[in-house]
Amino acid sequence: MIRERLREMGLDRPLLTPAQAAAVLEVGRPTVERLIREGRVSTVRVGRKVYITAASLERLVEGGVPAAQAAWLALRLMERAGLRVELFTDPKGGFRASAGGKEALGVSPEEALLALAEALAKEEEA
């Protein structure tokens, strides 16, 4: 939803100014500044300027859990289940996670851990 809106507005890029983010969300700049203070959107500082990540706007609108937080929770649950989780870079690029005889690939460590958790969960359901 946010990606389509960004394209329509000619703002299809990973970083937005607070004013651009306000326009995308159709709120005032003070609301965006409050979202930043509350940590509900991710920011990147370049010199004295602050930019908001488009991905964090998507999470905000869609109500999703940040990938890093979801991966950390999945890792903790796998360890509590007695699984030894290994994470390493893949020679072909990306990351590989393994545990319990299963392996999964991802372009980031978070994606690899979440893919592994999904594979293990599917195995449990079967």
Side-chain angles (χ1 to χ4, degrees), residues 49-65:
K49 295 190 180 232
V50 174
Y51 296 93
I52 297 162
T53 65
S56 70
L57 291 182
E58 284 182 311
R59 283 192 303 271
L60 176 72
V61 171
E62 295 172 7
V65 175

Side-chain angles (χ1 to χ4, degrees), residues 6-61:
L6 287 170
R7 262 187 237 104
E8 290 170 5
M9 298 175 76
L11 298 172
D12 192 20
R13 55 180 157 262
L15 299 176
L16 304 167
T17 66
Q20 291 169 331
V24 169
L25 296 174
E26 297 179 357
V27 298
R29 187 165 169 156
T31 300
V32 171
E33 290 170 355
R34 181 176 47 81
L35 292 171
I36 293 170
R37 278 193 312 275
E38 292 173 354
R40 295 178 60 197
V41 293
S42 300
T43 60
V44 174
R45 185 174 293 276
V46 180
R48 296 178 67 179
K49 295 190 180 232
V50 174
Y51 296 93
I52 297 162
T53 65
S56 70
L57 291 182
E58 284 182 311
R59 283 192 303 271
L60 176 72
V61 171

Side-chain angles (χ1 to χ4, degrees), residues 78-90:
M78 287 185 274
E79 288 176 343
R80 282 192 177 183
L83 296 172
R84 181 170 181 249
V85 180
E86 294 180 329
L87 178 69
F88 34 126
T89 57
D90 188 68

